[in-house]
């Protein structure tokens, strides 16, 4: 966990799922797919939601913390693989190789209760810059997904604030993506809100999906972690959260489609990301001849035939890159043109490309690495479709969402739904110098709204 004099850990519990019928002793072994394995050198997913303090009858928080712990345990019963650990097997081959799987051994997930009595909801919610203390609300900071063989795959920290609560989760990225993350969060809040009823709206689908040509376990051509795991050097970055009202998003979409004559073909998100891309490129003061790329994480559950279930408990995400664009061209041609480039990158994305990339990966494994963005590029994760504001634990909707230190590089952009229908929040992580210039960008800030 990040250290901060403002945050004090009050207790830490290891939560294990209830015994399951018909499970072999020691638990099942779930083989990891290329989608999972390529993220072993990436930090944990870290997201958290901000609430105002529950009603006065729970002012001492004892009952609230107990309810949260009990419902977290009940949710873990449904998502029991997340209580396991990664299992690393050195295979008797020449040259050396290894396989990495998820072992459902019920070693447990961490539940942490913390206190930050000097931090207010307003100091987080109404600050354009994300206060550094927020990073201390997250467990397992700076852990890589590979570390899941010795660390919990899932941990949560409930931090009492002066007038609110921050509930954060850290989830191993080699076993789950953002869809799984928010499905777990939604299930946990549903169980807590219902008074402990273990039924959830979207029960997880446990079995992994593999190409027909890929027989698990996948053999990695390495003798040990030093051959493929890199411990990142985290760059000095700062972050801001920009809120765009539903009206601002609709205005931006209408504007870029009118400019390009595309009759609504360019989506709201593509329109908004074009504004971010142009604004950040301007703030970076790049050489006009320097190429800039925009990488977008695209969910693949619905893009396969047959489609994967929404509840698929694993990674199903592909990176699509808009490339061969110079900084000068981007700034000269403007928002509509930038949005069209993003639109075409997504439109050209096909299932055949997904299958080809996965097959190639099995033959020649490669890995994504944390915080390695080029200083001229952007990478966007998250989605405005994730159910963030439906996480009512029994005392009302959250008022904000923030992320932890994981994967924070110069150029990381994370998208969330906003608190009102149709609104979008964008978290932008950049070098201090670039971010300082960005918040002075008039074209961007005219579209930003207060919450």
């Amino acid at each position: 966990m990040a250290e901060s004099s403002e945050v004090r850990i009050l207790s830490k519990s290891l939560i294990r799922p209830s015994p399951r019928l018909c499970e072999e002793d020691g638990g099942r072994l779930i083989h990891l797919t290329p989608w999972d394995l390529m993220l072993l050198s990436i930090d944990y997913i870290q997201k958290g939601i901000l609430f105002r303090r529950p009603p006065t009858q729970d002012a001492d928080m004892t009952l609230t913390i107990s309810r949260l712990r009990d419902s977290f345990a009940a949710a873990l019963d449904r998502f029991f693989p997340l209580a396991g650990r990664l299992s690393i097997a050195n295979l008797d081959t020449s040259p050396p190789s290894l396989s990495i799987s998820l072992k459902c051994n019920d070693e447990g997930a961490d539940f942490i209760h913390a206190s930050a009595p000097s931090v207010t909801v307003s100091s987080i919610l109404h600050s354009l810059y994300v206060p550094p203390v927020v990073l201390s609300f997250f467990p397992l900071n700076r852990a890589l997904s590979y570390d899941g063989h010795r660390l919990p795959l899932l941990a949560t920290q409930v931090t009492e604030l002066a007038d609110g609560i921050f509930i954060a989760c850290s989830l191993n990225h080699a076993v789950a993506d953002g869809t799984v993350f928010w499905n777990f969060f939604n299930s946990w809040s549903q169980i807590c809100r219902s008074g402990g009823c273990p039924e959830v709206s979207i029960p997880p689908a446990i079995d992994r999906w593999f190409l027909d040509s890929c027989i698990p376990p996948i053999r990695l051509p390495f003798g040990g972690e030093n051959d493929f795991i890199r411990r990142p050097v985290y760059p000095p970055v700062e972050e801001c959260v920009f809120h765009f009202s539903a009206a601002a998003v609709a205005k931006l979409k209408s504007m870029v489609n009118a400019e390009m004559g595309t009759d609504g073909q360019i989506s709201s998100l593509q329109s908004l990301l074009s504004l971010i891309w142009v604004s950040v490129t301007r703030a970076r003061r790049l050489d006009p001849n320097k190429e800039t790329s925009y990488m977008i994480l695209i969910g693949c559950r619905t893009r396969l035939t047959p489609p994967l279930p929404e509840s698929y408990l694993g990674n199903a995400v592909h990176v699509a890159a808009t490339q061969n664009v110079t900084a000068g061209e981007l700034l000269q041609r403007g928002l509509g043109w930038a949005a069209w480039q993003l639109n075409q990158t997504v439109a050209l994305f096909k299932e055949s490309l997904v299958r080809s990339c996965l097959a190639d990966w099995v033959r020649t494994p490669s890995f994504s690495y944390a915080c390695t963005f080029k200083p001229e590029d952007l990478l966007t994760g998250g989605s405005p479709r994730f159910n963030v504001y439906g996480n009512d634990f029994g005392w009302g909707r959250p008022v904000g969402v923030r992320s932890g230190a994981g994967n924070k590089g110069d150029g990381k952009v994370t998208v969330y739904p906003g608190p009102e229908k149709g609104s979008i929040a964008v978290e932008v992580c950049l070098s201090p110098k670039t971010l300082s210039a960005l918040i002075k960008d008039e074209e961007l800030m005219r579209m930003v709204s207060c919450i």
Side-chain angles (χ1 to χ4, degrees):
M1 288 170 281
E3 295 182 0
S4 170
S5 59
E6 297 176 89
V7 179
R8 183 166 64 96
I9 303 301
L10 303 178
S11 66
K12 182 176 180 179
S13 308
L14 189 64
I15 308 297
R16 291 185 169 91
S18 303
R20 298 178 300 282
L21 299 176
C22 303
E23 286 285 341
E24 294 182 5
D25 206 15
R28 74 170 79 172
L29 199 66
I30 298 176
H31 296 303
L32 299 183
T33 73
W35 273 327
D36 302 321
L37 294 168
M38 65 179 66
L39 299 177
L40 284 167
S41 206
I42 291 293
D43 295 345
Y44 278 50
I45 302 172
Q46 295 184 304
K47 301 288 185 287
I49 43 183
L50 178 66
F51 295 86
R52 301 196 186 280
R53 182 173 284 274
T56 53
Q57 60 264 33
D58 289 345
D60 64 358
M61 293 295 294
T62 302
L63 182 57
T64 297
I65 297 301
S66 178
R67 286 173 177 166
L68 287 169
R69 185 185 294 109
D70 290 347
S71 54
F72 179 79
L76 197 62
D77 286 348
R78 304 306 301 267
F79 290 77
F80 65 86
L82 304 185
R85 297 291 185 271
L86 296 185
S87 175
I88 303 171
N90 291 295
L91 305 176
D92 186 16
T93 60
S94 181
S97 64
L98 53 83
S99 69
I100 301 178
S101 303
L102 167 55
K103 189 171 186 179
C104 302
N105 56 11
D106 296 347
E107 285 197 28
D110 281 345
F111 183 96
I112 300 163
H113 176 203
S115 175
S118 65
V119 181
T120 64
V121 169
S122 178
S123 68
I124 299 170
L125 193 62
H126 300 302
S127 173
L128 183 59
Y129 279 88
V130 177
V133 68
V134 169
L135 302 183
S136 301
F137 298 162
F138 291 84
L140 299 174
N141 278 330
R142 305 309 194 200
L144 295 185
S145 293
Y146 177 82
D147 298 329
H149 69 281
R150 60 180 181 84
L151 295 176
L153 303 179
L154 172 66
T156 190
Q157 180 175 318
V158 179
T159 304
E160 296 181 47
L161 311 179
D163 55 354
I165 301 176
F166 194 91
I167 302 178
C169 279
S170 297
L171 177 60
N172 191 293
H173 213 332
V175 302
D177 59 13
T179 299
V180 178
F181 181 96
W182 288 111
N183 188 21
F184 176 82
F185 229 129
N186 299 157
S187 299
W188 177 17
S189 65
Q190 181 181 357
I191 291 171
C192 188
R193 183 174 66 248
S194 67
C197 176
E199 296 304 316
V200 297
S201 298
I202 307 177
I206 304 298
D207 293 336
R208 284 299 200 271
W209 176 86
F210 288 87
L211 293 171
D212 292 339
S213 60
C214 179
I215 301 175
I218 294 173
R219 297 189 176 193
L220 302 177
F222 308 110
E225 69 171 277
N226 292 335
D227 295 336
F228 68 104
I229 297 298
R230 297 180 194 168
R231 301 287 167 178
V233 176
Y234 294 90
V237 293
E238 295 179 329
E239 56 197 300
C240 284
V241 176
F242 301 105
H243 291 89
F244 300 88
S245 68
V249 172
K251 178 181 178 181
L252 189 59
K253 178 181 178 181
S254 176
M255 182 174 68
V256 299
N257 277 284
E259 181 180 332
M260 299 305 293
T262 44
D263 192 28
Q265 183 177 338
I266 300 172
S267 72
S268 297
L269 182 57
Q270 291 160 5
S271 304
L272 183 54
L273 294 184
S274 72
L275 175 63
I276 300 297
W277 192 11
V278 170
S279 301
V280 170
T281 300
R282 191 159 45 225
R284 282 172 163 169
R285 301 182 184 275
L286 297 177
D287 183 315
N289 296 315
K290 190 73 173 179
E291 286 195 359
T292 173
S293 298
Y294 205 133
M295 294 166 284
I296 302 175
L297 300 181
I298 298 180
C300 296
R301 283 168 172 78
T302 61
R303 296 176 181 269
L304 297 176
T305 307
L308 294 177
E310 178 187 0
S311 58
Y312 175 74
L313 198 154
N315 287 283
V317 176
H318 188 88
V319 179
T322 302
Q323 298 174 307
N324 302 317
V325 176
T326 67
E329 184 179 31
L330 183 70
L331 297 183
Q332 181 180 5
R333 297 198 175 193
L335 296 185
W337 184 85
W340 180 247
Q341 305 312 303
L342 297 175
N343 175 273
Q344 289 304 288
T345 296
V346 175
L348 292 173
F349 185 78
K350 305 295 183 184
E351 179 182 3
S352 58
L353 175 63
V354 174
R355 292 179 176 272
S356 175
C357 289
L358 293 176
D360 289 345
W361 195 94
V362 174
R363 289 189 289 268
T364 311
S366 60
F367 298 86
S368 299
Y369 294 100
C371 302
T372 55
F373 316 118
K374 294 179 180 179
E376 60 273 6
D377 293 346
L378 291 174
L379 170 66
T380 286
S383 171
R385 297 180 180 178
F386 288 149
N387 183 12
V388 173
Y389 286 90
N391 285 296
D392 180 353
F393 284 85
W395 62 82
R397 287 161 48 89
V399 294
V401 56
R402 297 293 185 269
S403 65
N407 303 305
K408 290 288 176 67
D410 181 3
K412 176 66 181 295
V413 177
T414 305
V415 176
Y416 305 99
E420 62 170 292
K421 185 177 180 180
S423 65
I424 297 177
V426 180
E427 178 188 85
V428 180
C429 186
L430 295 166
S431 71
K433 180 180 179 181
T434 301
L435 194 56
S436 177
L438 182 67
I439 63 173
K440 299 169 186 171
D441 188 284
E442 293 183 1
E443 184 178 32
L444 172 67
M445 298 310 291
R446 277 199 304 266
M447 304 297 293
V448 174
S449 62
C450 299
I451 62 169

